Amino acid sequence: MITMTNINKIYRTEEIETLALNNINFSVKKGEFVSIMGPSGCGKSTLLNLLGLIDSPNGGTYVFLDNEVSKLNERKRTNLRKGNIGFVFQSFNLIDELTVYENVELPLLYLKVSGSERKKKVEAVLERMEIMHRRNHFPQQLSGGQQQRVAVGRAVVANPAVILADEPTGNLDSKNGDEVMNILTQLNEAGTTIIMVTHSPTYAEYGNRTIHLFDGKIVTENFNGEFHV
C-alpha cells in the first residue's frame, strides 16, 4: 500500500541547510496500525507530511496505492489525497464557524458527493463516534474529547484508505486519550490502515509495530503484536 525507498527531505534557508529525513526506507501494508516515535525535531511530522502528500521529498521514491507520487505536482497530489487519506491532528483543526455536522460533512463536499448520500454517511459516522446528540453544536461548545471525536469522524467519513494521526491524544487527558485510541483501534480492526505519530509509549503499543526516528533516520523498529494480511 505504501512504500518509501531512500527518501530524503531537505529544508533550505539562505544561511542553513537541514536534512530533515535521511534515507528513509519504510513500507506499510493495507490494514496495519503503525506507530511513529522519536524526540522533537527528529522528522516525525515531516515524514507524516510526505506520507499525506502535503509535501514532496527531495530524493527517493514514494509509491502510494500503486502510484509513484514523489514527483507529482501539488494539484495531482491534492487530487490523490482527497478521499484516500484522512488526517487527525493534535489541535483538532475543526472550523469554528461550522457545526459538528458541517465539519464532518466537509470532505464529502470536496468529493462532490450527492446531498442524500452525504446525509447518510455523516449521520452514520456521528452515530459511530457517539456524537450525534451534538450535531448542531459548534466546536467551542464541546469538550476536548468531543472535538477529537468530531475530528476522527471527519477523517473517516469518506472511507479513506489510510488515516494519518499526528499526536491525536496530545491535548487530551488520559480518559479522553484512551477513548480516542479505542476508536482508532476499532477503525483499524474494521480494516482502516492507520499511521500515528505519538510521544506516548503506552499509546504506541496500540499499533502492530513501532518505528523510532532519530535525526531524520529510522533507528529501530519494534513489533507490538500480530498482524495478518
Side-chain angles (χ1 to χ4, degrees), residues 33-37 167-182 184-185 196-210 224:
F33 187 153
V34 180
S35 302
I36 301 173
M37 296 192 73
E167 293 284 356
T169 63
N171 282 341
L172 303 176
D173 59 29
S174 59
K175 178 178 181 294
N176 283 305
D178 290 347
E179 287 182 0
V180 167
M181 290 307 305
N182 287 332
L184 291 177
T185 299
M196 177 184 70
V197 164
T198 181
H199 278 107
S200 167
T202 300
Y203 290 149
E205 290 184 2
Y206 279 71
N208 309 118
R209 60 188 167 106
T210 303
N224 306 327

Side-chain angles (χ1 to χ4, degrees), residues 15-176:
E15 298 180 353
I16 194 168
E17 180 176 286
T18 302
L19 184 59
L21 293 175
N22 185 3
N23 201 40
I24 294 290
N25 291 282
F26 177 59
S27 63
V28 179
K29 295 177 182 176
K30 179 177 172 54
E32 273 197 284
F33 187 153
V34 180
S35 302
I36 301 173
M37 296 192 73
S40 296
C42 72
K44 301 187 302 296
S45 293
T46 299
L47 178 56
L48 217 60
N49 285 341
L50 295 186
L51 288 166
L53 306 177
I54 293 172
D55 204 353
S56 295
N58 295 103
T61 59
Y62 174 21
V63 177
F64 175 66
L65 296 178
D66 297 324
N67 298 281
E68 210 297 301
V69 298
S70 58
K71 302 295 191 298
L72 292 183
N73 61 34
E74 186 173 351
R75 180 179 61 82
K76 290 181 178 179
R77 290 201 313 270
T78 299
N79 287 337
L80 185 58
R81 187 167 63 237
K82 286 191 297 187
N84 287 315
I85 301 174
F87 294 91
V88 181
F89 302 96
Q90 176 178 346
S91 56
F92 316 135
N93 283 19
L94 300 175
I95 298 175
D96 289 340
E97 294 76 22
L98 299 182
T99 64
V100 165
Y101 184 99
E102 291 165 339
N103 267 282
V104 173
E105 182 186 35
L106 203 55
L108 301 179
L109 290 172
Y110 291 140
L111 292 169
K112 300 180 180 177
V113 176
S114 70
S116 59
E117 188 68 14
R118 289 201 310 271
K119 184 175 187 293
K120 184 165 64 175
K121 287 179 177 292
V122 172
E123 289 182 350
V125 164
L126 293 178
E127 291 283 6
R128 190 177 187 181
M129 296 297 124
E130 299 180 357
I131 201 79
M132 177 65 90
H133 62 296
R134 296 285 196 175
R135 59 177 291 165
N136 294 320
H137 288 69
F138 293 93
Q140 297 307 312
Q141 297 174 298
L142 307 179
S143 68
Q146 290 171 332
Q147 288 187 59
Q148 195 61 298
R149 284 176 179 268
V150 177
V152 173
R154 180 185 58 190
V156 304
V157 72
N159 194 29
V162 59
I163 291 177
L164 302 179
D166 192 357
E167 293 284 356
T169 63
N171 282 341
L172 303 176
D173 59 29
S174 59
K175 178 178 181 294
N176 283 305

